[in-house]
Amino acid sequence: MNLFFLLVNNINMKKITIFILLFCLIKVEAISNIKINNEELIPYFDKNTKIYNYYTESSNINIKIKNEKNEIVNGEGFYTVDEEYKKIIVNSSKYGDYIINIFKNYDKNNYKDTGLLSLNIEGYNIDFNKDVYNYDITLNDEENLKINYEVNDNTTVIINGNGNFNKPNNLIEIKVGEKTYNINAHKTIKVSYTKNNEKPKEMSETKKEIVKVLIITISSYLIFLFYKFILKI
């Protein structure tokens, strides 16, 4: 034990501080990409986007997942696509399920349906079904949503209400031909006031990181001084 305290006492405090700062600023990323037959998904992979499409003429596909070493993923490997459509779920221990819709020998021009062929909202899982016209989501802090869709070439799409989410319940209408899909976007509005009836300003992410680093640095320095104190006893 005395040897341990002696080693701690000999470490330069500046090096300790630099190490702590670097450790706090490093952000560990989880699952970073999913590819099929070494090809990108539609839309391009983002860990917050939960639904993807993949089009192929092959009956065999190979799903590859790039993930963090401490992250557990399920769904990687070879699959047989016997029918025109196959749904595959990839699971991440950190981010949950990702749905991949596999379309075999797909030609959207053969579809007479003027409804949506696919729809997803980045960062949300709506589990889209072209025969379901109402969906509910709980908003985060976005000013507007990234809505991705696919329709027949001859179909007109008009999106209303995507933005200015200043109410508890906000309606986004996606008009596809004669059909309308409704996204009910719910938002939790928090209102609090100071003694002067002014809204308190929320601390920025940068300031939060600085405070976190300062707390850890001060705590480490106090521990260092405590070790020095013990050695003098």
Side-chain angles (χ1 to χ4, degrees):
M1 184 64 70
N2 291 333
L3 178 60
F4 173 77
F5 289 145
L6 182 61
L7 290 173
V8 172
N9 189 45
N10 291 332
I11 295 176
N12 187 294
M13 191 59 198
K14 183 177 180 181
K15 292 182 179 179
I16 295 178
T17 304
I18 294 174
F19 175 80
I20 293 172
L21 290 172
L22 291 174
F23 179 80
C24 293
L25 294 175
I26 293 174
K27 293 184 178 180
V28 179
E29 297 292 341
I31 185 169
S32 60
N33 202 1
I34 300 176
K35 286 188 176 183
I36 299 181
N37 294 345
N38 204 33
E39 296 176 340
E40 300 288 348
L41 301 176
I42 300 176
Y44 288 113
F45 180 80
D46 181 280
K47 65 178 180 291
N48 295 318
T49 302
K50 297 294 186 176
I51 301 179
Y52 298 89
N53 296 329
Y54 179 75
Y55 304 93
T56 182
E57 296 179 357
S58 175
S59 298
N60 300 292
I61 61 172
N62 182 17
I63 296 181
K64 289 287 187 181
I65 303 171
K66 185 178 180 181
N67 61 295
E68 182 200 347
K69 63 179 181 180
N70 295 324
E71 179 186 19
I72 301 173
V73 295
N74 296 304
E76 188 175 44
F78 291 90
Y79 292 83
T80 299
V81 184
D82 295 324
E83 301 179 356
E84 292 183 353
Y85 171 77
K86 186 178 184 73
K87 179 179 178 179
I88 297 175
I89 297 178
V90 171
N91 177 267
S92 161
S93 61
K94 294 191 175 182
Y95 285 93
D97 291 340
Y98 294 90
I99 298 174
I100 305 176
N101 299 305
I102 309 295
F103 297 94
K104 180 183 176 184
N105 299 326
Y106 172 83
D107 184 359
K108 65 183 178 181
N109 293 320
N110 291 332
Y111 279 70
K112 295 181 181 179
D113 189 359
T114 57
L116 287 175
L117 303 179
S118 68
L119 172 69
N120 69 74
I121 302 174
E122 294 189 16
Y124 299 87
N125 182 10
I126 62 172
D127 196 15
F128 175 72
N129 183 322
K130 65 184 180 69
D131 296 320
V132 177
Y133 297 93
N134 291 284
Y135 299 88
D136 289 273
I137 63 172
T138 300
L139 293 168
N140 297 318
D141 297 321
E142 301 93 340
E143 294 182 359
N144 56 70
L145 300 175
K146 295 181 180 178
I147 301 175
N148 305 309
Y149 59 84
E150 185 177 12
V151 296
N152 188 286
D153 287 339
N154 298 322
T155 304
T156 301
V157 177
I158 300 175
I159 300 177
N160 296 320
N162 185 17
N164 298 321
F165 303 128
N166 51 14
K167 298 182 296 183
N169 298 305
N170 304 272
L171 177 63
I172 302 172
E173 294 182 331
I174 304 175
K175 296 183 178 181
V176 186
E178 297 179 355
K179 300 179 180 180
T180 300
Y181 294 85
N182 297 314
I183 308 295
N184 300 296
H186 307 287
K187 182 177 183 179
T188 301
I189 299 177
K190 298 180 180 179
V191 179
S192 59
Y193 296 92
T194 61
K195 293 182 178 179
N196 296 326
N197 206 32
E198 296 179 353
K199 291 184 179 180
K201 294 182 179 180
E202 184 178 354
M203 186 180 295
S204 67
E205 290 299 324
T206 302
K207 289 183 178 179
K208 289 179 181 179
E209 289 294 328
I210 293 173
V211 171
K212 184 192 301 182
V213 170
L214 287 175
I215 292 173
I216 295 175
T217 303
I218 293 172
S219 300
S220 300
Y221 183 67
L222 291 174
I223 293 172
F224 176 75
L225 292 177
F226 178 71
Y227 285 149
K228 291 189 68 175
F229 174 75
I230 292 176
L231 291 175
K232 292 179 180 180
I233 297 176

